[in-house]
Amino acid sequence: MPAPAATYERIVYRNPSEHHYMKVHLEFQDHGIGLNAAQFKQLLISALKDLFGEVDAALPLDILTYEEKTLSAILRICSSGLVKLWSSLTLLGSYKGKKCAFRVIQVSPFLLALSGNSRELVLN
Amino acid sequence: MVRFKHRYLLCEVVSDDPRCRLSLEDRVLGGLVRDTIARVHGTFGAAACSIGFAVRYLNAYTGIVLLRCRKEFYRLVWSALPFITYLENKGHRYPCFLNTLHVGGTIRTCQKFLIQYNRRQLLILLQNCTDEGEREAIQKSVTRSCLPEEESAGEELSDSGGEEAAEAME
């Protein structure tokens, strides 16, 4: 007896995530400089505004977590703005006259991927 | 073949103040557009748009401006034009805005569009006319513009009939 025809449904996601998540760390040349969350966001927006102007300074950028002691944060940006944000972070040189640099630790379209980083695994 | 392709943006300077158009100069306008692009699109935009940028044609009487930019970045220039709100000349600031009429790949297509646009504008001016002397002047320009193309092409671009009517209207 012929088996009943099975129906299949195929769902293809071309780009499943409309946001990209970046884990970044701000490093200063001198130690002992602190920024609160608002100043950190102001720094990010001014970096975007310098390189890409007022139109791209208005990209929907969110700081999901921020730690003041280590100056590290998890940012969320829409996928079309990832390249612009990353390049403006690369070219940011100073904050209020003090030299600083952004270190990008991890970038992923999924937030869950930022919870475990195989680069930070310590093997004894 | 390998060549640099450009886009020509045909714009019209619209302003309440009649002195605004007369103080149009190509260097002043070019500097203003470059500053606006730098403000709106940042260092990247300013650098990308200023390579092939030039003000190719400027008519102070009708306020028509033809800007040239590279084909890859013409959208950056086009989107920065609405952010121009004033024209500054010799310390006087005139509020105005730039209305983009046509985007073409060559100067010739922009010229063809401008000729048709001016013909339509003459007819509109004829309808809105109040004074008899102006009406005759515009009617003369309209009949001249309906003549065969070789004779009137030179006159259309200089746009003498439109100038008189435009100045008289203001």
Side-chain angles (χ1 to χ4, degrees):
Chain A
M1 212 163 84
T7 53
Y8 296 99
E9 190 182 317
R10 191 171 77 151
I11 302 173
V12 176
Y13 285 111
R14 295 203 51 211
N15 185 15
S17 176
E18 45 181 66
H19 296 285
H20 267 76
Y21 301 88
M22 293 175 79
K23 194 193 264 188
V24 297
H25 170 230
L26 178 58
E27 217 175 87
F28 277 96
Q29 200 181 39
D30 324 311
H31 296 282
I33 302 171
L35 277 101
N36 63 16
Q39 289 171 325
F40 190 77
K41 184 153 191 190
Q42 167 64 23
L43 179 63
L44 293 174
I45 293 183
S46 68
L48 271 172
K49 193 192 274 206
D50 259 337
L51 190 56
F52 289 106
E54 291 185 8
V55 165
D56 286 317
L59 279 174
L61 163 70
D62 301 308
I63 302 184
L64 299 178
T65 61
Y66 177 65
E67 282 165 45
E68 201 170 322
K69 287 198 190 130
T70 53
L71 288 176
S72 61
I74 295 187
L75 311 174
R76 179 180 78 165
I77 184 118
C78 58
S79 298
S80 54
L82 174 70
V83 174
K84 296 188 177 163
L85 176 65
W86 201 341
S87 52
S88 56
L89 288 182
T90 308
L91 291 176
L92 181 70
S94 63
Y95 169 68
K96 285 190 181 168
K98 294 170 209 139
K99 288 196 185 171
C100 63
F102 265 97
R103 309 281 181 220
V104 174
I105 299 172
Q106 215 177 348
V107 178
S108 167
F110 308 109
L111 188 52
L112 195 55
L114 294 183
S115 64
N117 189 4
S118 58
R119 286 185 184 183
E120 287 168 6
L121 270 182
V122 174
L123 300 167
N124 312 26
Chain B
M1 281 314 292
V2 180
R3 65 183 172 105
F4 285 119
K5 296 195 178 175
H6 298 278
R7 284 287 175 263
Y8 290 88
L9 293 165
L10 190 69
C11 314
E12 184 188 1
V13 178
V14 177
S15 168
D16 281 335
D17 201 346
R19 296 170 293 173
C20 174
R21 281 188 190 166
L22 296 173
S23 65
L24 267 182
E25 265 172 54
D26 53 352
R27 248 171 290 176
V28 167
L29 191 73
L32 180 65
V33 175
R34 269 178 232 247
D35 287 338
T36 310
I37 295 175
R39 182 167 50 104
V40 173
H41 292 295
T43 334
F44 170 75
C49 301
S50 68
I51 296 180
F53 182 76
V55 177
R56 271 316 194 187
Y57 170 76
L58 183 65
N59 189 334
Y61 295 110
T62 54
I64 300 279
V65 177
L66 188 68
L67 304 169
R68 177 190 73 175
C69 53
R70 286 280 160 93
K71 180 177 152 186
E72 291 89 19
F73 302 111
Y74 80 97
R75 269 182 244 110
L76 290 180
V77 177
W78 197 356
S79 61
L81 292 183
F83 289 86
I84 297 180
T85 48
Y86 63 88
L87 206 72
E88 183 143 359
N89 191 17
K90 290 172 200 144
H92 291 288
R93 208 172 253 221
Y94 307 108
C96 66
F97 67 91
L98 286 184
N99 196 13
T100 306
L101 304 171
H102 187 245
V103 178
T106 55
I107 299 188
R108 195 170 299 181
T109 55
C110 290
Q111 187 186 23
K112 277 193 212 163
F113 176 84
L114 190 60
I115 293 173
Q116 289 173 353
Y117 179 77
N118 285 340
R119 283 207 188 115
R120 271 180 269 146
Q121 289 298 96
L122 277 178
L123 293 174
I124 294 173
L125 279 177
L126 189 61
Q127 281 178 348
N128 300 348
C129 218
T130 47
D131 192 19
E132 265 312 303
E134 282 174 27
R135 191 176 281 271
E136 282 179 27
I138 297 182
Q139 271 175 343
K140 251 194 296 180
S141 313
V142 172
T143 44
R144 262 190 313 183
S145 72
C146 296
L147 287 173
E149 287 226 321
E150 305 94 65
E151 290 163 50
S152 63
E155 294 183 34
E156 287 307 324
L157 211 51
S158 65
D159 205 34
S160 48
E163 290 160 14
E164 293 163 7
E167 281 187 334
M169 291 285 284
E170 288 156 355

